Amino acid sequence: TDLEQVPKIFMKPDFALEDSLTFNAVLPWSHFNTSGGKGNRDAASSKLLQEKLSHYLDIVEVNIAHQISLRSEAFFHAMTSQHELQDYLRKTSQAVKILRDKIAQIDKVMCEGSLQVLRLSLTRNNCVKVYNKLKLMATVHQTQPTVQLLLSTSEFVGALDLIATTQEVLQQELQGIHSFRHLGSQLCELEKLIDKMMIAEFSAYARSDLNRPFEEDCHILEEERLVSVVFGLLKQRKLNFFEIYGDEMIITAKNIIKQCVVSTVSQIEEIDTEVVVKLADQMRMMNFPQWFDLLKNIFSKFTIFLKRIKATLNIIRSVVLLVLDKNQRTRELEETSVQKNPAKDNAVDTEVAYLTHEGMFISDAFGEGDFQSVAVDTTSQRNTSPNSEPCSSDSASEPECTTDSSSSKEQMPSSVIPGGIEIMISEDMKLTDLELEKLANNIQELLYSASDICHDRSVKFLMARAKDGFLEKLNSNEFVALSRLMEGFILDTEQICGRRSMSLRGALQSQANRFVNRFHEERKTKLSLLLDNERWKQADVPAEFQDLVDSVSEGKIILPEKKAGAAEERKPTDVLIVEEQKYAVVGTVLLLIKIILEYCQCVDNIPSITTDMLTRLSDLLKYFNSRSCQLVLGAGALQVVGLKTITTKNLALSSRCLQLIVHYIPIIRAHFEARLQPKQFSMLRHFDHITKDYHDHIAEISAKLVAIMDSLFDKLLSKYEVKAPVPSACFRNICKQMAKMHEAIYDLLPEEQTQMLFLRINASYKLHLKRQLAHLNVVNDGGPQNGLVTADVAFYTGNLQALRGLKNLDLNMAEIWDQKR
């Protein structure tokens, strides 16, 4: 309750006289004014205030004393405990001093030396690291000069490996070193420069390889250089380098033809190169033998050219496949190691964690311990280039550097390419299997492209010469020689490149078609002229034609070569003997047989024109059949060659000629069939149609011969009268005409055909006689008229059977009488 007399302001926790409000509330100075005349009053007020404050102080002190009195026992107890605590502290201080002395002695005797050893070991380890780092920096510092040295010897792969290794070192071991801050970008620029150098080197190689002189051997030019450049390009993923080679192939192919033409033209005196400037015009001035030799020279050079390309591309492709094989083997090994060693990897991780969890200094101190060999191997593989010498100036004297380098080389997979060059494949060929397979296929396609290029250039060369119709004007032997040369070159290129190129084959087929057209037109025109001048008389058969048909009979369709003097010694014969059959022929048919054999031989020489030749030969045979029918059966020869009449001899001779051609059609058919593809056999139906047309024509001629006699019988027998004398004039005339007919045809037609023809004539005779007898009412009654007729018929029969070859002819003359029931 005493404290309640003290104003509350003094009890506030934020009481502060510095605050003007608080100060004015405690000391109200406004009540004091010394300037007035109330000095005594003010003095009394201040005194009163002082006493009031003193009173407050007394109250507080009384309360504090009261509180202390309440806690006096605790206070005196604390004072007593203070002395005891000081005694305990004194004893503790003495114990600590003794302990420190002992620890100092232990430290001096037992720990100081060991810690010094650890400290020195750590210092040494740090020094080794610094030394290795400096040595690594010295090696890296030598990178650019070493790269320049490697590039001077075209060691692109080694230079690129060194750059890649250096870049890796800069990003890992030497990251943040100020002196090397620009080296990374410099090496990138150097790498770009190497890319350009490799492309230029490959272009130069391709140019020198393709343009070197054409010796017979097709060895690889500087194989090591090629392999090095290709590996470098693969390493840098420059996978379109084969396009450079393709461009060079096109340029070289053009130059080959140009050089061949220039070389050939320069040796021909007839061609004035100053007057005729263009190469194409100069080439067109060559005759066939000169041009043929030029083409042969071009083809031989193209063949060597392709062999050379194939050898080079095989080396490039083998390098690509080698890298592909290495990729696959590496992937298999990685998969195997992952399956076999998961426990080992875990153990290593655990041990490293155990060594490092105590702190960086302990792990550094053990840096040369258990993992030293692993660290050194890893660092050496990263720090040394597999294709270069030890790089720093003083590293040659360091055995460990040399050992690391050699060991890293031993760990590199080595392979031997087909050319026998052993190469080291680095581990950073970051190419996918798909990319490598695609590249290998592209290189193979490049070989096919080389074949197409040679064929295309050859086609242009041919077309340039064919502009003036030169190739169409060649004779058969020349075109056959050209065709065989081109076919040989086509087969050679197919054998070298393994794929058919169609452009040259197509050009040959086109020229062959033109040749066939001209070949056919010439012979058809020749046959037409022969037929227009043919008088349809039996011709003598020269010995050469007899030899020709004899060789065909032996199965050889070959036109015999003319032998000087041999043909003159042997006289011509009357008939052509074919397989013991005699054929009386006209001169046109002899030449037609020769023409037919020319078609057959042309097919042998140029197999690609078989179908065209078959069509043309069919046309020729049809033309001969139709034209000979017009001239003989149609009597066209009366106007064309001025014959007075078409005789039975002409008809019989025409029939025999047709029979000779029919005899040869199966032989011709078999010849073509052997040279056609099975799918083309349908074309052989042309021969069946021709055979039918010829047989129909032969039958028409036979019918014509019968019709001639039939009209004669009709004319003579219509005037026949049964009266003396016997034999009658009518029958004498008939027998005379029959004898003339027999004489005309007997030497021309075989005996069997003559007999068949006279049987048909006899049947016509019996028909007309029977009709006349019926008209005259003469019957077989044994009367006088019957006797006269019988006598005439006996005369007819005797005369007819007296003719050669008709003795045993069954005439059956009883048919002339009506048979009465």
Side-chain angles (χ1 to χ4, degrees):
T1 57
D2 296 336
L3 285 173
E4 290 177 359
Q5 298 176 17
V6 179
K8 299 297 182 185
I9 191 170
F10 291 106
M11 300 301 178
K12 286 184 178 180
D14 57 348
F15 176 81
L17 287 175
E18 292 86 350
D19 186 9
S20 59
L21 294 175
T22 305
F23 185 83
N24 290 330
V26 174
L27 299 173
W29 294 109
S30 58
H31 296 171
F32 312 127
N33 189 358
T34 56
S35 61
K38 302 175 182 179
N40 295 329
R41 184 182 174 188
D42 290 339
S45 296
S46 62
K47 188 173 172 129
L48 181 63
L49 179 61
Q50 186 176 2
E51 288 177 356
K52 187 188 292 186
L53 292 174
S54 298
H55 176 63
Y56 294 157
L57 180 60
D58 292 339
I59 291 172
V60 172
E61 285 178 351
V62 168
N63 275 281
I64 288 173
H66 178 67
Q67 289 297 325
I68 290 172
S69 67
L70 291 176
R71 290 172 177 78
S72 59
E73 291 182 5
F75 176 76
F76 289 115
H77 182 265
M79 292 298 291
T80 306
S81 298
Q82 181 68 25
H83 295 293
E84 293 178 2
L85 183 61
Q86 287 179 352
D87 291 339
Y88 288 146
L89 286 174
R90 190 166 48 251
K91 291 178 183 178
T92 303
S93 175
Q94 290 174 353
V96 168
K97 182 179 180 182
I98 294 169
L99 181 61
R100 280 183 173 176
D101 290 341
K102 289 180 180 179
I103 289 174
Q105 290 176 359
I106 292 171
D107 180 53
K108 186 174 182 180
V109 174
M110 299 183 66
C111 298
E112 189 173 337
S114 300
L115 287 174
Q116 184 67 18
V117 169
L118 282 176
R119 193 176 295 111
L120 292 174
S121 175
L122 183 60
T123 303
R124 180 185 179 279
N125 192 31
N126 287 338
C127 289
V128 169
K129 286 183 177 180
V130 171
Y131 170 71
N132 286 335
K133 191 75 74 175
L134 290 171
K135 191 164 67 171
L136 185 58
M137 289 175 66
T139 303
V140 170
H141 185 65
Q142 290 294 320
T143 297
Q144 287 176 301
T146 307
V147 168
Q148 298 292 347
L149 182 64
L150 290 170
L151 292 180
S152 66
T153 57
S154 298
E155 281 287 341
F156 298 109
V157 178
L160 290 169
D161 281 339
L162 183 55
I163 290 173
T165 305
T166 305
Q167 291 280 32
E168 186 179 351
V169 170
L170 286 173
Q171 291 171 6
Q172 295 178 7
E173 282 87 348
L174 301 182
Q175 188 176 15
I177 292 181
H178 190 69
S179 60
F180 287 150
R181 64 189 183 280
H182 299 306
L183 183 58
S185 59
Q186 290 171 355
L187 291 177
C188 287
E189 292 299 321
L190 194 57
E191 196 170 355
K192 292 177 184 177
L193 176 63
I194 292 174
D195 289 352
K196 293 179 181 177
M197 287 178 66
M198 285 192 299
I199 295 292
E201 180 79 0
F202 186 79
S203 299
Y205 177 87
R207 202 172 299 114
S208 60
D209 177 50
L210 295 174
N211 288 294
R212 56 195 163 109
F214 286 92
E215 297 90 4
E216 284 304 315
D217 60 331
C218 297
H219 65 278
I220 305 297
L221 181 69
E222 296 179 352
E223 190 172 341
E224 299 87 349
R225 175 185 171 197
L226 173 62
V227 171
S228 173
V229 174
V230 171
F231 263 107
L233 291 167
L234 290 177
K235 186 177 177 65
Q236 293 303 98
R237 300 179 64 84
K238 301 293 181 184
L239 303 184
N240 60 343
F241 61 88
F242 63 91
E243 296 175 0
I244 298 171
Y245 200 83
D247 295 339
E248 289 296 333
M249 287 192 314
I250 296 172
I251 295 169
T252 306
K254 290 179 181 178
N255 289 336
I256 287 173
I257 292 181
K258 186 175 181 180
Q259 290 167 5
C260 288
V261 174
V262 170
S263 174
T264 305
V265 167
S266 64
Q267 297 172 5
I268 301 174
E269 296 179 357
E270 293 83 358
I271 300 175
D272 190 348
T273 54
E274 294 181 0
V275 177
V276 184
V277 179
K278 290 185 178 179
L279 276 179
D281 295 336
Q282 294 171 359
M283 180 190 68
R284 292 191 191 100
M285 295 178 70
M286 298 179 189
N287 56 33
F288 179 77
Q290 292 168 341
W291 181 81
F292 186 75
D293 289 340
L294 171 59
L295 184 62
K296 191 185 294 184
N297 185 25
I298 289 172
F299 282 166
S300 66
K301 288 191 175 180
F302 270 156
T303 304
I304 298 170
F305 176 65
L306 287 175
K307 287 178 179 177
R308 187 172 292 170
I309 289 172
K310 182 178 182 180
T312 302
L313 291 181
N314 278 347
I315 293 294
I316 297 174
R317 193 163 182 265
S318 65
V319 171
V320 175
L321 294 177
L322 209 59
V323 175
L324 175 62
D325 181 58
K326 174 255 172 189
N327 277 4
Q328 293 171 345
R329 281 190 286 119
T330 303
R331 191 164 55 250
E332 290 172 3
L333 287 172
E334 287 174 354
E335 290 172 358
T336 307
S337 63
V338 166
Q339 292 171 359
K340 287 184 177 179
N341 299 328
K344 183 178 178 181
D345 293 342
N346 292 339
V348 170
D349 292 343
T350 305
E351 193 167 359
V352 170
Y354 173 76
L355 284 172
T356 56
H357 87 284
E358 289 293 336
M360 59 179 291
F361 295 110
I362 293 179
S363 64
D364 288 343
F366 280 100
E368 290 189 344
D370 296 334
F371 290 92
Q372 184 176 12
S373 59
V374 178
V376 169
D377 287 347
T378 307
T379 308
S380 66
Q381 285 185 0
R382 193 166 56 238
N383 294 353
T384 55
S385 168
N387 291 323
S388 64
E389 295 296 324
C391 300
S392 64
S393 58
D394 61 342
S395 60
S397 62
E398 295 290 333
E400 60 186 30
C401 181
T402 309
T403 305
D404 292 343
S405 179
S406 62
S407 67
S408 67
K409 280 190 177 181
E410 287 173 4
Q411 291 171 4
M412 297 280 289
S414 66
S415 302
V416 180
I417 62 173
I421 300 174
E422 187 171 352
I423 52 175
M424 310 299 291
I425 305 177
S426 61
E427 295 294 332
D428 56 349
M429 286 280 187
K430 303 300 181 185
L431 293 167
T432 64
D433 290 358
L434 186 62
E435 286 175 325
L436 291 167
E437 288 169 2
K438 185 178 179 181
L439 181 58
N441 291 336
N442 285 336
I443 292 168
Q444 187 63 41
E445 286 294 328
L446 196 59
L447 181 59
Y448 300 151
S449 176
S451 173
D452 293 341
I453 288 167
C454 291
H455 281 230
D456 292 343
R457 300 314 305 178
S458 300
V459 168
K460 288 189 176 181
F461 179 77
L462 282 173
M463 292 302 103
R465 191 65 183 93
K467 276 187 178 178
D468 53 358
F470 172 77
L471 298 180
E472 296 173 29
K473 296 174 186 174
L474 299 180
N475 62 41
S476 179
N477 291 334
E478 289 173 342
F479 191 84
V480 166
L482 175 62
S483 175
R484 284 179 176 170
L485 177 65
M486 292 171 69
E487 283 284 354
F489 175 67
I490 290 169
L491 292 175
D492 287 344
T493 56
E494 287 176 2
Q495 185 176 4
I496 294 168
C497 301
R499 192 176 73 171
R500 292 166 67 92
S501 293
M502 300 309 296
S503 57
L504 188 58
R505 198 182 293 275
L508 176 59
Q509 187 64 48
S510 174
Q511 290 301 324
N513 292 340
R514 292 176 184 170
F515 169 77
V516 167
N517 288 334
R518 187 187 55 78
F519 181 92
H520 176 64
E521 289 301 325
E522 282 182 359
R523 279 146 187 79
K524 190 173 182 181
T525 303
K526 181 178 180 180
L527 180 61
S528 177
L529 291 172
L530 288 171
L531 286 169
D532 288 346
N533 290 288
E534 181 58 65
R535 301 189 68 83
W536 298 99
K537 291 184 178 179
Q538 185 175 355
D540 291 336
V541 179
E544 62 174 299
F545 286 98
Q546 186 62 56
D547 293 342
L548 195 63
V549 297
D550 290 343
S551 68
V552 174
S553 300
E554 294 170 5
K556 301 174 185 175
I557 299 185
I558 300 173
L559 294 171
E561 297 178 1
K562 292 183 179 180
K563 298 177 182 177
E568 297 176 1
E569 297 173 3
R570 298 165 59 192
K571 293 182 179 179
T573 55
D574 294 334
V575 291
L576 188 69
I577 300 174
V578 180
E579 296 180 7
E580 299 181 358
Q581 287 281 331
K582 294 181 179 179
Y583 287 88
V585 292
V586 297
T588 299
V589 172
L590 291 174
L591 292 170
L592 176 60
I593 290 173
K594 187 175 180 181
I595 289 171
I596 291 170
L597 296 183
E598 285 177 355
Y599 277 79
C600 294
Q601 190 172 18
C602 201
V603 166
D604 278 342
N605 293 329
I606 315 172
S608 62
I609 61 173
T610 302
T611 53
D612 286 338
M613 277 297 189
L614 190 152
T615 308
R616 302 300 195 284
L617 182 55
S618 301
D619 179 56
L620 190 77
L621 292 173
K622 289 176 183 176
Y623 175 76
F624 173 76
N625 185 47
S626 61
R627 186 69 179 140
S628 60
C629 183
Q630 291 171 4
L631 291 171
V632 180
L633 273 178
L638 300 180
Q639 288 81 27
V640 176
V641 292
L643 293 182
K644 293 180 181 179
T645 182
I646 301 297
T647 64
T648 53
K649 205 176 186 73
N650 299 140
L651 289 167
L653 198 55
S654 173
S655 174
R656 197 58 176 153
C657 290
L658 293 170
Q659 290 171 35
L660 178 61
I661 301 301
V662 168
H663 170 80
Y664 279 109
I665 286 177
I667 298 172
I668 299 165
R669 178 194 173 107
H671 183 82
F672 276 88
E673 185 174 3
R675 286 150 184 82
L676 286 175
Q677 300 293 331
K679 62 183 179 182
Q680 299 170 331
F681 283 169
S682 60
M683 297 187 69
L684 296 171
R685 69 182 185 279
H686 290 301
F687 291 116
D688 299 332
H689 298 157
I690 292 168
T691 304
K692 181 180 180 302
D693 291 344
Y694 272 67
H695 280 305
D696 291 346
H697 189 181
I698 292 167
E700 287 177 15
I701 292 174
S702 298
K704 181 68 175 177
L705 290 171
V706 174
I708 289 171
M709 296 305 294
D710 185 74
S711 63
L712 182 69
F713 294 148
D714 184 44
K715 180 180 177 183
L716 294 175
L717 289 174
S718 63
K719 298 177 183 178
Y720 174 59
E721 294 179 358
V722 183
K723 61 180 182 180
V726 176
S728 65
C730 174
F731 272 71
R732 288 177 185 277
N733 202 0
I734 287 172
C735 288
K736 182 180 176 183
Q737 294 299 329
M738 294 282 272
K740 287 174 68 178
M741 167 69 80
H742 180 270
E743 183 183 357
I745 68 173
Y746 184 77
D747 291 333
L748 302 178
L749 297 177
E751 191 170 305
E752 298 81 11
Q753 290 185 28
T754 305
Q755 291 175 357
M756 290 299 298
L757 184 64
F758 272 90
L759 279 175
R760 291 176 65 188
I761 291 171
N762 182 58
S764 173
Y765 162 75
K766 287 188 292 184
L767 185 64
H768 284 287
L769 179 58
K770 184 177 182 178
R771 190 182 299 152
Q772 184 63 19
L773 291 175
H775 176 68
L776 296 174
N777 293 319
V778 178
V779 293
N780 188 14
D781 57 358
Q785 285 190 320
N786 178 260
L788 290 173
V789 172
T790 303
D792 278 340
V793 170
F795 173 75
Y796 164 80
T797 304
N799 271 276
L800 189 58
Q801 290 183 337
L803 298 174
R804 285 180 297 171
L806 304 182
K807 183 177 180 181
N808 298 321
L809 207 63
D810 183 12
L811 300 177
N812 193 13
M813 298 306 295
E815 291 181 354
I816 64 173
W817 306 106
D818 284 330
Q819 300 296 325
K820 293 184 178 180
R821 293 175 180 237

